[in-house]
Amino acid sequence: MDDNQENQVLRSSPNYVLRTIAGQHVLVSIGEGLADFRGYIQLNGTAAFLWEELLKGRTKEALFRALLEKYDVDEDTARRDLDGLLELQSGADILHSERSYDLALVTVFRDMEAFRAY
């Protein structure tokens, strides 16, 4: 996500819904998302929290502040993890701007077999 996009309001894609399945947070593709992606996206608790925040529409700075309020994390780690997650979600087309803790926040499964094996 570019620095010039810092003030854009970001939203979760309407083509995915967050569900908890067997204690795991999973994004499930729906609607138009079914044609584009037929896998499963597993989120950890932090990424699920951010997904819920993105449903409301938030700027990157608001997401950063929410992370600091909810979790006991230093600013550098929060910023790095948020940047990584936003880049991943933007690249996977599950994050949209209104104008157009840890790298393992999201695990993408291409089919149910891979999900079960995990």
Side-chain angles (χ1 to χ4, degrees), residues 1 10 13 18 33 41 48 55 60-62 65 70 74 76 80 87 100 111:
M1 187 122 317
L10 306 171
S13 170
L18 179 63
I41 302 170
L55 287 173
K60 184 176 176 181
E61 184 63 23
R65 294 288 162 210
K70 177 136 177 105
D74 64 86
D76 289 338
R80 184 186 69 239
E87 185 176 321
S100 55
D111 55 43

Side-chain angles (χ1 to χ4, degrees), residues 9-117:
V9 174
L10 306 171
R11 291 193 185 277
S12 304
S13 170
N15 293 326
Y16 295 87
V17 294
L18 179 63
R19 296 288 184 251
T20 302
I21 301 171
Q24 302 295 315
H25 303 291
V26 179
L27 290 180
V28 179
S29 57
I30 60 170
E32 293 177 19
L34 284 172
D36 297 331
F37 182 78
R38 295 193 176 160
Y40 303 90
I41 302 170
Q42 182 179 349
L43 307 178
N44 73 6
T46 305
F49 167 75
L50 289 172
W51 182 266
E52 294 291 341
E53 289 296 305
L54 286 164
L55 287 173
K56 303 169 194 171
R58 297 284 188 250
T59 63
K60 184 176 176 181
E61 184 63 23
L63 291 170
F64 173 68
R65 294 288 162 210
L67 270 179
L68 292 177
E69 286 179 28
K70 177 136 177 105
Y71 297 100
D72 182 25
V73 62
D74 64 86
E75 289 189 7
D76 289 338
T77 301
R79 182 101 36 213
R80 184 186 69 239
D81 290 350
L82 178 60
D83 287 345
L85 180 65
L86 293 178
E87 185 176 321
L88 180 63
Q89 287 188 352
S90 181
D93 200 30
I94 58 176
L95 176 70
H96 301 282
S97 71
E98 296 236 326
R99 256 188 2 209
S100 55
Y101 247 101
D102 171 357
L103 293 180
L105 292 174
V106 176
T107 305
V108 177
F109 299 97
R110 294 292 173 195
D111 55 43
M112 193 61 164
E113 257 181 57
F115 177 67
R116 285 186 189 128

